[in-house]
Amino acid sequence: MAQCVQSVQELIPDSFVPCVAALCSDEAERLTRLNHLSFAELLKPFSRLTSEVHMRDPNNQLHIIKNLKIAVSNIITQPPQPGAIRKLLNDVVSGSQPAEGSVANVITAGDYDLNISATTPWFESYRETFLQSMPASDHEFLNHYLACMLVASSGEAEPVEQFSKLSQEQHRIQHNNDYSYPKWFIPNTLKYYVLLHDVSAGDEQRAESIYEEMKQKYGTQGCYLLKINSRTSNRASDEQIPDPWSQYLQKNSIQNQESYEDGPCTITSNKNFDSNLLSLDGFDNEVKVDGLPNNFRAHPLQLDPSSDTSNSIDGPDHVKSTSSLHETKKANIGIIHGACLTLTDHDRIRQFIQEFTFRGLLPHIEKTIRQLNDQLISRKGLSRSLFSATKKWFSGSKVPEKSINELKNTSGLLYPPEAPELQIRKMADLCFLVQHYDLAYSCYHTAKKDFLNDQAMLYAAGALEMAAVSAFLQPGAPRPYPAHYMDTAIQTYRDICKNMVLAERCVLLSAEILKSQSKYSEAAALLIRLTSEDSDLRSALLLEQAAHCFINMKSPMVRKYAFHMILAGHRFSKAGQKKHALRCYCQAMQVYKGKGWSLAEDHINFTIGRQSYTLRQLDNAVSAFRHILINESKQSAAQQGSFLREYLYVYKNVSQLSPDGPLPQLPLPYINSSATRVFFGHDRRPADGEKQAATHISLDQEYDFESSQQWEELEEEVVALVNKGVIPSNFHPTQYCLNSYSDNSRFPLAVVEEPITVEVAFRNPLKVPLLLTDLSLLWKFQPKDFSGKDNEEVKELVTSEPEMIGTEVISEFLINSEESKVARLKLFPHHIGELHILGVVYNLGTIQGSVTVDGIGALPGCHTGKHSLSMSVRGRQDLEIQGPRLNNTKEEKTSIKYGPDRRLDPIITEEMPLLEVFFIHFPTGLLCGETRKAYVEFVNVSKCPLTGLKVVSKRPEFFTFGGNTAILTPLSPSASENCSAYKTVVTDSTSMCTALTSSASSVDFGIGIGSQPEVIPVPLPDTVLLPGASVQLPMWLRGPDEEGVHEINFLFYYESVKKQPKIRHRILRHTAVICTSRSLNVRATVCRSNSLEDEEGRGGNMLLFVDVENINTSEAGVKEFHIVQVSSSSKHWKLQKSVNLSENKDAKLASREKGKFCFKAIQCKEKEVAAQSSEKYTFADIIFGNEQIISSASPCADFFYRSLSSELKKPQAQPSVHTEKQSVEDAVKLIQKCSEVDLNIVVLWKAYVVEDSKQLILEGQHHVILRTIGKEAFSYPQKQEPPEMELLKFFRPENTTVSSRPSVEQFSNLIKTSLHYPESFNHPFHQKSLCLVPVTLLLSNCSKADVDVIVDLRHKTTSPEALEIHGSFTWLGQTQYKLQLKSEEIHTLQLKACFVHTGVYNLGTPRVFAKLSDQVTVFETSQQNSMPALIIINNV
C-alpha cells in the first residue's frame, strides 16, 4: 500500500471515537448559523484534546488516554441512504487528485526507473469518509451515542424551560419505539446542558444568572456556559482570522445539484441560510412538531424515498459525477466560516470540549465500565474482577472452535438489549474507545466464544474483528497479530452475512496493520480478495493499493504492480473516475513501454487517448493515439482502422481549437528522410518517332557508384581541356540528382525557371490504406536582390499564387497497406535566392469502404476524387536528413559527429542555357565494325544562347561528327536514307589491284598533337546556339569490335555566352546501348620480301598477308560479306598492289568462309616522306569493286584515327631489361627498332542482309595495326586463355637477372640475308668429280647503326638426320668472313659451293653473327624464317 500521513497506531483510534449527540434549540442554532456553521460543525476543529487524560479501570489502576478525540453530531432520526453514501464517497475520491507539481517517488527496480506517487490522498480521504459514514448497527456499539449535549441560547425567554423540553425530546427519541435510529450506548445517556451566549448581542449578566440557576439544577459537572460571537460579522474584512473549519467541511460537503444513478438527490438547504453546501451534519427543513424544533427528521444523506432502489451501502456505484474538487471549491468561495468568532472564542470552544470530556464524558464512561464489570462478575459468579478471571478462561480446557463452513447460517440471530453477551461486547467497545486495549481484548475474546457457541455469526465476526485490532494495539505487543481472526471475520461478513460494508472495514484495517508489519504480499492478497463486481470504486481503490503493495516489497514486483494498476484504471473508468483512471494507466505505461509488448502498449495508449479526450486533455490524447500508430503495430487491420479513425477524430478536434496555429506534425505515413532525392531540371522528353531524346539523368535511374565515377572523370577531362589542362580549384562535379550517396556538403545550385523535383519516400506501416490529399512541399525562401537588401519571405501555406516559388500540389496520393511508395513533388523557382525545403504538408485521411471509380459512389460533399475520404486532418512532416558521420580528425574519430546534408537547401542562380539533344535514326544493334550514319539534333530550350559545345566519351572510336574535310551534306536525315555512309568515287576497271593513294593529316580529324582524343568539339555553325534554335548534324557510328552489349557514355559540355559566377558550365549525359553481333575476323602478317630489288630498283619491300574470316552466325540475317577494298595507312609505308593469284575479282565470303589476300607494300618515296609532317599519313586503296571509297576522308579516316589513338593508349608490353650497362639497353633498342614496322590496314566490306523480306546493304570497316615484322595482328583483341591451374611450389626466391637477349625475330631483322644462285646446275660428273657452283650472298643492314658481321660457313655438328635433309656439300675457300656494314648498307659476298653428287641441296647453311660496332655482345641472326635455298644438281 502507499504511504499514509497517519500511522496505523494513529489511524485506528481516530476511526473509533466516543460519539456524542447534540440537540439544539432554534435560537441556539441561529447563533451558530451566523458563522455559517451548525453547532456540531462549530466544535469539529476543536474535538481533539490537547492534553493527556486519566481514568481508572475496574481494578482501580490508573489508565492514561492520549490524543483522545470525540465526535459530536446532530441527532438524525433517519439512517443514511446507501446511494447517498456512495455518492459522497465518489465525490470524495474525485475531489482528491495528486497535487500539481508534486514530487514523485522514483523507484528503481531492476532495469525499471518508475515515477510513482508515493502517497494516495484520495484513498485516505475515501477511507476516512467511509469509516465516518458507517451506519450504526445492533451487533456493535462503537458508534452509538454515549452522551447528548442539550444546547439553548441565553437570549431565549425561558432558557431553563427550553432545556427541560430538549431533555424530554431526547428521552422520547431514545426510549420511544417509533425511533430505531440513532442508536444509544446505554439507556442512561449522559445529558450535558450547554448555554450559548452571544457576546456581541446578548446580556452577559442575564447569561451568568441563568448559568448559576443551571448549576444549581444540573450540578457544576453537568452544564457549561459557552460564550461565542465576540464580534459582528460585518467587521470580518478588517482582520484575517484563521478558518479551521474549511478542511472538515470540504471533505464532507455534497452539492445538491448533482445526480447519480440511484436517482436525483433531493437535498434542500436550510431555508434560513444561504449555504447551498450541506455537510454530513447539515440540517434538513425545519418542521415544528408540538412546538418543538423537530429539525432532526432526515439524515443529510437521505434520498428521495421513491428513488432509492438499493437498500445496502455497497450497491453499484456508477455515479456520473459531474462535479470535481474545482467546482466544490468554487461553491465555497465567498462563504467565510466563523466570521463572528475571535481567537478568544476559539479558545473558549477548546476549553468547553476539555471541560465536557474531563468532567462529563470520561467520568460517565468510567462509571459505566465499572457497572458493566460488576454485572459480568455477578453473572459469571467468579472472582471480583475480570482481570483476574481472564487467566482461568484462557488456561482452561478449550472448546474446539468450529470452522466457519460447519456453522449454520445464523447471521439472523438477534440478542435482546439486556443479553449478558451484549453487555460483554458493550464493555469491550467502551474499553476500546478509551484505548484500554488489554481489557478490550479480553472482553472481545470472551464475547467471541459466547457468540460462536450461540452460532450468532454476525456478532462473532464483529468480536473477532475487534479482538484482532485490540491484540495488535496492545502496548508492548504481548501477542502477535491474529490475522486469522480477521480472515474469518471477513469471510463471515462477506459470505454468511452478505455485508460488504463491514467486510470492507475489516480489509481496510487489516491491510493497514499488515502493511505496518511489512507483510505486503499478505496485504495485497487481502485487498485483491475483496474486489468484486458490486462496487467499481471500491475495487479500483483496493486494486491500486494492492499494486502499491507489490512495488513496496523488498524485491519490487514491477510487472504485478503494472498489471494491477491497469485493472484499477479499468475499474476507475467504470466508476466514472476518469482522472484517476488516466493516472493509473499512465503509471502502468512506464512498465510496459518499450518492452516489445506491443498489444499491451496499444491497449494502454488507446485507453489513455480515450480518457484524455474525455477530460479534454487533447494534446495528451493526440500523443497517445500517435504512439499506437507509429509503433510497428501487430493489431489486425480492422483494429488499426479504428485506431486511425479515432486518432483523426481527436486530431480534428484539436486543430479546430486553434485553426490559425502552426500545422501539427503528423505521425503517418513514415518518411524515410535519408532516401529523399532531389532532382534539378526538367523531366526527360519521351522518344518521338525516330527521335530519341538523350537519356540524361532522371529519378527513374538507380544510383550506380561506378557509373557516377565514370561521369565525374569525363567531366573532369573536358573541364581540364577547357582550362588548358588544369582543373580549377573550385571545380566540383555537376550533380543534377542528389541522394544519400552523393556529396551533399555544399549548397546545390538550381537555375531559376527550372523545376526542382523532390522525391519523398513514404511508407505506410498500417494494414489499412492511407489517402493523402493536397500533398505539396513546405518551403521557406530568401530572395536575393541586387540592391543588396535581404528580405526574408516565409511562405508555409500555398494559398495564393506565389510569385517567388511555384508549388505543385498532388490532389490525391494513395498508399496501400504496408506499402512503400515515393511521391515526386515539384517547385518552380521564379526568383533568385536561397530556398530551404522544410518538409511536406498534406491532409491525412483513410478510405471509407471500398475504392470507388471516378467519384461514383463517393460521399456527397465529402470528396470528389477517386476515393471517398472518411475524415482527414491537415498537417505536416519535416524532412530532416542527417549528414554523413565525420571521420577525418582525431576528435571526430573519438566522438560521434555528423556533417551537414544540404540537398534540401538549394541556391537559385541566374538563368543558364539549357540544351536538349535528340538522336535520329540511332541504331540499337550493329555488326562489329559496321558503320552507320545517324543524325543528332541540338536544341537550346532556354532563353540564353549557348556556346563551347563539346562531347566527351571514353569510346571515341565509336562515333564521329566528321573531320574538317567532311562535306556536311546531305543534311536532312530523309535525304540520306539510302546513301552510303562513305565518300565514294567510281573507278574504271584498269585500276584494279593497283593502289590509289591519297594523304590526310590526323589534325584534321581532331587527333592532333597533345590533344585528348576523348573530347570532341561539336561543329556548331557559328559555334553558338541561340535561344530556341535547333541544329541537326550528321553523326557516323561504328560498331565496336567486340561482340556483346555495349554501354557508351556521351557527356555533352556547354557554356553560357554570358559568364556566370556560380555555374561555369552545364552538362548533359547520354548513355547509348548498342548490341553488336559478330561479322568478320581479320588477321594480318607482314614479312620482309627476300627479292633483291623491286621494280623501282630499291630494296626494302614487304609482303602483307591478310586472312579474312566470316565468323557471323547468321543471327542478324547476313547472307554474305563482300570485301570491297583494302586500304593501308601509314607514315612510311603504302600498299602497292595485290598479288592474289586467284582471278576472282569479287571477294565474297559466305558464312564461316575464309579468304586469303596477299599484298605488296613499299616504302613511301623519300620526297614524299620529307614533304609530310610527322602527323601526315599516306592512304593507299586497293579496290575489289568498281567504286573507290576514299579512305582518307570522313568517316573512314575518322574511325581509323580513333582506333589508332585508342590502340596507342593501351600499355605496350616492352621487355624489361635489368642490366647495369646502359649501352646494352641502347643496343637492344636499336635491334628492336629493326623489327618494327608502322603499317595499318583498313578492310572495308559490305554485308547483304535480308530483313522482313527486304534486302539491305550494310557497310563496315575493320582495322589491323601492324607493329612488328613477322608477328600476327588481329582486328579485335584476342581473349587471353586463363592459365591452367598448377601445383603450388615453395621455393626460396633467387636474384635472377632477366636475360637481355632480344627475341629470335628481332635478331633476324637486324641483318637481312639473301642468297642468289641458279635454280638448277648441270655438271658432267663422269668428266669432273667435283662440281663448283658460284653463289652470291647478299647482306643488308636494316638498322640505322654500324654493324659488325661474322659469316661462318662451317656446318654445324648436327645429327645424321639433319645431314640427310641438307645433303652433303662443302663451301670452298674462306670459312669465316668479318665485315662491317654501315647504316642500311648492302654488301655482296661471292662464295663457291662444292658438290660431289647429283641431288637437291639446301644452300641456306651460312650462319651470320652480328653485333653493333660499339657493343661487346654478339647476336646470332637466324635465317630459319626465310624460304629454304634449294638447288638442283644434274649430271650431264
Side-chain angles (χ1 to χ4, degrees), residues 335-621:
I335 298 174
I336 299 168
H337 302 291
C340 302
L341 303 174
T342 61
L343 290 175
T344 314
D345 290 338
H346 290 193
D347 290 339
R348 284 180 185 143
I349 298 169
R350 203 173 281 114
Q351 185 63 35
F352 160 62
I353 295 288
Q354 296 270 83
E355 285 289 316
F356 165 70
T357 312
F358 282 16
R359 296 174 181 234
L361 185 63
L362 283 178
H364 175 68
I365 292 173
E366 194 177 319
K367 189 175 81 176
T368 308
I369 290 175
R370 279 178 195 281
Q371 285 174 359
L372 289 167
N373 191 41
D374 292 345
Q375 282 179 29
L376 291 173
I377 289 165
S378 62
R379 181 173 79 89
K380 292 280 181 187
L382 298 168
S383 55
R384 207 173 49 79
S385 165
L386 190 67
F387 268 148
S388 54
T390 50
K391 282 182 187 170
K392 289 182 182 175
W393 293 344
F394 290 129
S395 59
S397 62
K398 286 191 173 181
V399 178
E401 291 181 9
K402 296 174 182 176
S403 77
I404 192 161
N405 296 327
E406 292 171 36
L407 295 168
K408 295 201 302 286
N409 183 1
T410 51
S411 58
L413 174 68
L414 290 174
Y415 288 99
E418 313 78 41
E421 290 86 354
L422 289 189
Q423 305 310 310
I424 301 181
R425 171 75 208 225
K426 268 187 187 174
M427 181 177 167
D429 284 350
L430 266 180
C431 294
F432 190 86
L433 288 173
V434 293
Q435 301 173 11
H436 202 316
Y437 298 118
D438 294 344
L439 189 50
Y441 177 77
S442 300
C443 294
Y444 283 132
H445 202 274
T446 308
K448 176 202 74 163
K449 291 170 87 172
D450 289 348
F451 292 140
L452 283 174
N453 286 337
D454 294 340
Q455 294 194 357
M457 295 315 297
L458 180 63
Y459 294 88
L464 279 165
E465 175 188 1
M466 296 316 293
V469 175
S470 305
F472 171 72
L473 289 172
Q474 276 178 327
R479 55 178 59 81
Y481 167 62
H484 60 289
Y485 278 16
M486 272 294 195
D487 293 344
T488 310
I490 293 166
Q491 203 173 341
T492 308
Y493 281 142
R494 193 184 63 189
D495 299 339
I496 295 175
C497 308
K498 302 284 187 264
N499 191 328
M500 292 300 284
V501 177
L502 292 169
E504 184 176 350
R505 182 180 70 186
C506 274
V507 166
L508 292 174
L509 296 175
S510 185
E512 277 298 328
I513 293 168
L514 290 167
K515 183 186 88 171
S516 71
Q517 297 176 334
S518 297
K519 293 179 178 173
Y520 287 108
S521 183
E522 292 89 334
L526 195 64
L527 291 161
I528 292 166
R529 204 189 322 162
L530 204 69
T531 58
S532 61
E533 287 304 312
D534 60 334
S535 170
D536 287 315
L537 182 65
R538 179 186 72 231
S539 300
L541 288 159
L542 297 185
L543 283 165
E544 185 180 11
Q545 292 307 308
H548 279 282
C549 287
F550 289 123
I551 202 74
N552 285 319
M553 284 179 170
K554 199 169 185 181
S555 53
M557 301 172 82
V558 181
R559 293 203 290 272
K560 257 188 161 36
Y561 159 79
F563 180 64
H564 286 86
M565 276 308 242
I566 294 288
L567 295 176
H570 176 62
R571 297 306 286 271
F572 270 130
S573 179
K574 284 176 74 177
Q577 298 282 350
K578 304 292 183 194
K579 285 188 180 175
H580 287 296
L582 180 59
R583 178 184 49 73
C584 287
Y585 274 102
C586 289
Q587 294 210 332
M589 188 62 185
Q590 299 176 82
V591 176
Y592 289 107
K593 189 169 57 184
K595 294 289 183 296
W597 297 344
S598 61
L599 296 178
E601 261 189 272
D602 287 351
H603 169 75
I604 297 169
N605 272 316
F606 185 67
T607 312
I608 289 173
R610 275 260 170 106
Q611 301 287 13
S612 301
Y613 179 70
T614 313
L615 294 167
R616 306 308 291 163
Q617 298 177 11
L618 296 177
D619 289 343
N620 291 352

Side-chain angles (χ1 to χ4, degrees), residues 1254-1367:
K1254 278 199 305 186
Q1255 181 164 314
L1256 301 176
I1257 301 176
L1258 307 180
E1259 305 170 292
Q1261 62 189 70
H1262 278 79
H1263 310 126
V1264 184
I1265 294 167
L1266 291 159
R1267 285 221 178 88
T1268 313
I1269 291 174
K1271 189 175 178 185
E1272 194 169 29
F1274 300 90
S1275 63
Y1276 70 96
Q1278 296 299 301
K1279 284 181 183 157
Q1280 294 282 321
E1281 286 298 323
E1284 286 182 17
M1285 201 175 289
E1286 292 178 7
L1287 287 173
L1288 198 60
K1289 293 174 186 168
F1290 295 92
F1291 61 90
R1292 186 182 290 110
E1294 293 172 4
N1295 292 335
T1296 54
T1297 56
V1298 177
S1299 166
S1300 62
R1301 292 178 71 81
S1303 66
V1304 176
E1305 293 98 12
Q1306 289 167 344
F1307 297 145
S1308 64
N1309 293 325
L1310 182 63
I1311 298 291
K1312 185 175 163 186
T1313 59
S1314 181
L1315 286 165
H1316 288 253
Y1317 55 90
E1319 277 185 24
S1320 65
F1321 194 81
N1322 298 333
H1323 179 74
F1325 281 99
H1326 57 278
Q1327 292 175 10
K1328 205 173 183 182
S1329 58
L1330 293 179
C1331 170
L1332 301 178
V1333 180
V1335 177
T1336 308
L1337 175 63
L1338 196 75
L1339 297 170
S1340 173
N1341 179 3
C1342 296
S1343 73
K1344 302 274 184 186
D1346 295 355
V1347 178
D1348 290 349
V1349 181
I1350 300 171
V1351 181
D1352 192 351
L1353 297 178
R1354 287 173 297 185
H1355 286 301
K1356 253 185 183 174
T1357 52
T1358 51
S1359 60
E1361 292 90 343
L1363 281 173
E1364 280 174 22
I1365 294 165
H1366 288 294

Side-chain angles (χ1 to χ4, degrees), residues 612-813:
S612 301
Y613 179 70
T614 313
L615 294 167
R616 306 308 291 163
Q617 298 177 11
L618 296 177
D619 289 343
N620 291 352
V622 164
S623 167
F625 281 121
R626 181 189 178 94
H627 274 292
I628 303 178
L629 297 172
I630 61 174
N631 292 336
E632 294 292 339
S633 174
K634 296 185 174 65
Q635 302 283 2
S636 66
Q639 191 67 50
Q640 288 183 357
S642 74
F643 284 162
L644 180 60
R645 284 192 296 278
E646 195 100 14
Y647 170 76
L648 294 174
Y649 177 72
V650 173
Y651 222 129
K652 209 165 183 65
N653 285 322
V654 175
S655 55
Q656 281 166 358
L657 292 179
S658 54
D660 302 327
L663 279 173
Q665 293 280 347
L666 292 174
L668 291 172
Y670 289 179
I671 291 181
N672 182 359
S673 290
S674 62
T676 304
R677 298 195 294 165
V678 186
F679 177 68
F680 301 100
H682 297 279
D683 291 342
R684 178 172 168 256
R685 284 201 212 167
D688 176 21
E690 285 292 316
K691 272 194 184 184
Q692 180 195 344
T695 53
H696 195 44
I697 306 156
S698 76
L699 288 168
D700 298 325
Q701 295 167 4
E702 290 294 318
Y703 176 81
D704 177 21
F705 177 74
E706 281 183 19
S707 83
S708 72
Q709 289 291 101
Q710 287 171 15
W711 287 117
E712 276 181 32
E713 284 169 23
L714 288 174
E715 189 176 356
E716 279 176 22
E717 224 169 90
V718 67
V719 168
L721 182 81
V722 170
N723 290 284
K724 302 180 177 59
V726 181
I727 295 176
S729 57
N730 61 351
F731 165 75
H732 299 294
T734 308
Q735 292 181 329
Y736 284 116
C737 185
L738 301 178
N739 50 31
S740 50
Y741 305 106
S742 54
D743 176 11
N744 304 323
S745 56
R746 292 178 308 281
F747 293 104
L749 300 175
V751 177
V752 72
E753 303 298 347
E754 289 187 21
I756 298 168
T757 309
V758 179
E759 183 182 86
V760 184
F762 290 111
R763 181 168 74 83
N764 177 7
L766 302 184
K767 294 170 185 153
V768 287
L770 295 177
L771 184 62
L772 312 187
T773 53
D774 297 340
L775 171 64
S776 63
L777 288 170
L778 198 60
W779 48 268
K780 123 177 140 178
F781 182 62
Q782 192 171 342
K784 294 283 182 191
D785 290 342
F786 293 110
S787 58
K789 291 180 198 162
D790 283 9
N791 58 324
E792 185 156 329
E793 179 179 333
V794 181
K795 283 183 189 286
E796 297 217 333
L797 280 172
V798 185
T799 47
S800 58
E801 184 63 33
E803 299 125 34
M804 296 290 175
I805 308 284
T807 309
E808 180 191 45
V809 178
I810 297 177
S811 61
E812 273 191 9
F813 188 75

